[in-house]
Amino acid sequence: MEELLVGKHVKYIITVEKRKDDFESVVMEHLRLNGAYWGLTTLDIMGKLGAVEQDEVISWVMQCQHESGGFGGNIGHDPHVLYTLSAIQVLALFDKIHVLDIDKLDIAGLQNEDGSFSGDIWGEVDTRFSYIAILSLALLHRLDKVDVGKAVKYILSCKNVDGGFGCTPGAESHAGQIFCCVAALAITGSLHHVDKDLLGWWLCERQVKSGGLNGRPEKLPDVCYSCYIGIFIDRSALCFTEGHVVASQDKENGGISDRPDDAVDVFHTYFGVAGLSLLEYPGIKPIDPAYALPVDVVNRVMLGR
């Protein structure tokens, strides 16, 4: 089997960060803070976080904070819980969460009466936002600021007869939403509500002939699901998934794509490397699947180790 091209991926991530005017950079301008999290976490998992200038990164992240307290996807953009979490996670990587005015981050104010969370002031509801809000507050040691019981109850209302979870009650099961819902239940100590056998079968059926995994029935495989699904299933059952990930690398310029021979991007590069971490690929740091950060970072933030 091919090996992970760590050096080329480091170069790719650094190059993406430096580019400002090409097409990929322009179309991703609104979620650049997410991209920073994906790229920097990938570097850390590969043991190469020192390749970036810490003070420069932190200064830019803090410039993405809106006057309302939340973070936008880039400087001058509107705040959203998606970008706020990425800001917290990037600061956690560098052990700099203390630079935040935590009381200014009104994440708890995004919880609705039914226990769900809106992503921003415009009110869109999605179980992704439930997970993101819960994870953000957990990393800040502020989970007591929301009604966790109601949050769990809402997530469970999105569980389907196949054992999976959707984005809202009645929505179809999707591997990405399942990842978010189960991770949120894990953080809140509520995993006993998951039907492990039923959900496990649904997730096992996501593997296709190439060894890759899809997010829903009858869809093409995608590298990102090596992470979304890899957290649930024993490594021995996903032995061919590892090959799908490394086969999706750009062997000349670095980066990982959704599947072999497609264009690479930093999103799939992160999820590909994170998936390999969950599959215990040699030389890769372990990642905590619920907190979506390297285990050593989670231990430092949550346990003070």
Side-chain angles (χ1 to χ4, degrees), residues 252-267:
E252 294 183 8
N253 302 308
I256 299 175
S257 60
D258 55 354
R259 58 190 67 90
D261 300 321
D262 280 359
V264 303
D265 57 67
V266 70
F267 172 86

Side-chain angles (χ1 to χ4, degrees), residues 7-59:
K8 290 186 180 294
H9 298 322
V10 172
K11 184 177 180 180
Y12 166 73
I13 291 168
I14 298 299
T15 301
V16 168
E17 190 276 328
K18 297 296 182 184
R19 292 198 308 250
K20 297 291 192 288
D21 299 321
D22 66 355
F23 177 77
E24 182 179 2
S25 179
V26 171
V27 297
M28 287 185 63
E29 179 187 358
H30 65 292
L31 45 74
R32 196 166 184 84
L33 190 47
N34 290 151
Y37 157 72
W38 296 325
L40 292 167
T41 305
T42 304
L43 291 177
D44 199 3
I45 296 170
M46 296 189 301
K48 302 295 183 180
L49 188 59
V52 299
E53 176 53 52
Q54 173 179 309
D55 292 341
E56 184 180 322
V57 172
I58 293 169
S59 174

Side-chain angles (χ1 to χ4, degrees), residues 66-104:
H66 191 267
E67 60 184 13
S68 66
F71 284 78
N74 208 332
I75 298 171
H77 287 235
D78 291 340
H80 194 286
V81 72
L82 282 166
Y83 312 124
T84 299
L85 172 61
S86 287
I88 295 169
Q89 289 172 312
V90 169
L91 293 174
L93 289 173
F94 294 107
D95 197 17
K96 293 292 183 180
I97 286 181
H98 63 271
V99 305
L100 284 172
D101 181 352
I102 294 176
D103 293 329
K104 191 177 179 181

Side-chain angles (χ1 to χ4, degrees), residues 252-303:
E252 294 183 8
N253 302 308
I256 299 175
S257 60
D258 55 354
R259 58 190 67 90
D261 300 321
D262 280 359
V264 303
D265 57 67
V266 70
F267 172 86
H268 288 95
T269 301
Y270 161 68
F271 280 103
V273 176
L276 291 177
S277 173
L278 294 170
L279 292 169
E280 301 177 9
Y281 189 89
I284 301 296
K285 290 170 60 174
I287 191 169
D288 185 296
Y291 288 86
L293 287 167
V295 169
D296 62 325
V297 174
V298 175
N299 287 341
R300 184 177 67 226
V301 173
M302 302 304 296
L303 304 175

Side-chain angles (χ1 to χ4, degrees), residues 159-165 178 182 191-206 232-233:
K159 185 164 71 169
N160 294 317
V161 295
D162 55 19
F165 293 82
I178 291 169
V182 175
L191 277 178
H192 56 281
H193 292 295
V194 176
D195 187 330
K196 293 185 291 184
D197 291 334
L198 187 60
L199 177 58
W201 272 115
W202 190 91
L203 292 169
C204 285
E205 290 171 349
R206 302 283 62 75
F232 301 110
I233 301 175

Side-chain angles (χ1 to χ4, degrees), residues 155-195:
I155 291 170
L156 294 176
S157 73
C158 300
K159 185 164 71 169
N160 294 317
V161 295
D162 55 19
F165 293 82
C167 58
T168 53
E172 74 169 312
S173 296
H174 185 283
Q177 303 294 152
I178 291 169
F179 167 85
C180 291
C181 291
V182 175
L185 293 175
I187 293 170
T188 57
S190 306
L191 277 178
H192 56 281
H193 292 295
V194 176
D195 187 330

